[in-house]
C-alpha cells in the first residue's frame, strides 16, 4: 500500500505521464514490482495508461487528488538531531533540502563545528543542477529534472550545463545512492548529499555536507569515502524517522 501511494504521489506532482522505467527509477524499485502495482491501480481506476505511449497518469477515480508533499516543518523537525550529529562527525556544514518551484530550498542548515564566521542558509534557494542536495532531488523527480535540463545556468567552469552531462550525473546518483558537487556552484567548495525517503520509498528531501574542496575530497579530487558513508547513514536514519522501511 505504501508503494502504491508513492506511485500515486509521483503521478500527482508531475506535469505529464510517467512510464514504468521512470517510476521504478524514482522509487528505487524493480520494474516488475512497479508494473504490478500499476496494473492493480489501473484495474481499480486509480491510474490510466495511454494506449500510444504506454505511460501512466492519474485515473478518473482520483481527479481530486492534489500534489502531495511532505510538510517542510515535519521534515526539518525529524531531521534536526541527525543533521547535528552529521555536522559533528564530519566537521562540515550540513544542509537539508527540498524542491520548491524548480530550485533546491534549504530547509535546515547546521554550521560547521568550528569558530569560523558562517551565515545561516535556511530559506536559501540554490540551483539544483549545481549543488549536491539539488542533484539528489532532481535524480528522483522526472519533471523537475526535465525542466532543469532545458536551461542549466553556468556558475563556474565545472558546472554541468548540457542536458547529456546532467542526465549522466543524475543516473550516476541513482546508481550510487548519493550525489556530489565539486566546485560546480562555488570555486573551492565541494559537497556530498543523499536522498531522504518517506513512506513507500518516495524521495521527500536530501541531506548533505558542504565545505572546502580539500577537506571534502581526497588528493585525487574524489569525495572522501568516510564522508560519503556518514552522509548516507544520516539519510537512512532520517528516512527511518519518516517511515521508510528499506533504507
Amino acid at each position: 500500500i505504501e508503494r502504491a501511494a508513492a506511485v500515486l504521489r509521483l503521478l500527482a506532482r508531475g506535469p505529464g505521464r510517467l512510464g514504468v522505467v521512470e517510476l521504478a527509477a524514482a522509487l528505487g524499485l524493480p520494474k516488475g514490482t512497479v508494473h504490478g502495482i500499476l496494473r492493480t491501480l489501473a484495474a481499480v481506476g486509480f491510474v490510466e495508461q495511454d494506449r500510444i505511449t504506454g505511460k501512466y497518469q492519474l485515473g478518473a477515480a482520483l481527479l481530486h487528488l492534489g500534489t502531495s508533499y511532505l510538510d517542510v516543518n515535519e521534515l526539518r523537525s525529524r531531521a534536526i538531531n541527525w543533521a547535528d550529529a552529521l555536522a559533528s562527525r564530519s566537521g562540515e556544514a550540513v544542509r537539508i533540502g527540498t524542491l520548491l518551484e524548480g530550485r533546491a530550498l534549504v530547509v535546515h542548515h547546521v554550521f560547521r563545528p568550528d569558530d569560523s564566521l558562517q551565515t545561516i542558509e535556511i530559506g536559501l534557494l540554490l540551483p539544483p543542477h549545481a549543488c549536491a542536495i539539488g542533484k539528489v532531488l532532481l535524480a528522483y523527480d522526472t519533471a523537475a529534472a526535465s525542466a532543469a535540463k532545458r536551461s542549466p545556468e553556468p556558475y563556474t567552469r565545472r558546472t554541468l550545463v548540457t542536458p547529456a552531462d546532467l542526465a549522466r550525473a543524475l543516473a550516476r546518483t541513482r546508481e550510487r545512492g548519493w550525489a556530489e558537487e565539486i566546485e560546480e556552484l562555488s570555486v573551492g567548495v565541494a559537497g556530498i548529499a543523499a536522498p531522504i525517503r518517506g513512506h513507500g520509498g518516495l524521495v521527500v528531501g536530501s541531506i548533505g555536507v558542504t565545505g572546502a574542496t580539500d577537506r571534502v575530497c581526497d588528493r585525487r579530487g574524489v569525495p572522501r569515502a568516510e564522508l560519503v558513508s556518514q552522509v548516507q547513514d544520516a539519510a537512512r536514519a532520517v528516512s527511518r524517522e519518516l517511515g521508510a522501511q528499506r533504507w
Side-chain angles (χ1 to χ4, degrees), residues 4 28 73 80 98 102 114-115 123-124 134 139 148-149 153 167 209 232:
N73 290 327
I80 282 179
T98 61
D114 59 22
D115 296 328
L124 188 64
K149 291 173 189 175
E153 181 180 351
V209 297
Q232 289 185 301

Side-chain angles (χ1 to χ4, degrees), residues 106 121 153 247:
V106 179
E121 296 182 357
E153 181 180 351
W247 293 271

Side-chain angles (χ1 to χ4, degrees), residues 86 93-96 133 192-194 206-210 231:
L86 176 58
V94 173
R95 292 169 174 162
I96 295 173
I133 62 170
I192 303 165
S206 59
I207 184 171
V209 297
T210 181
V231 169

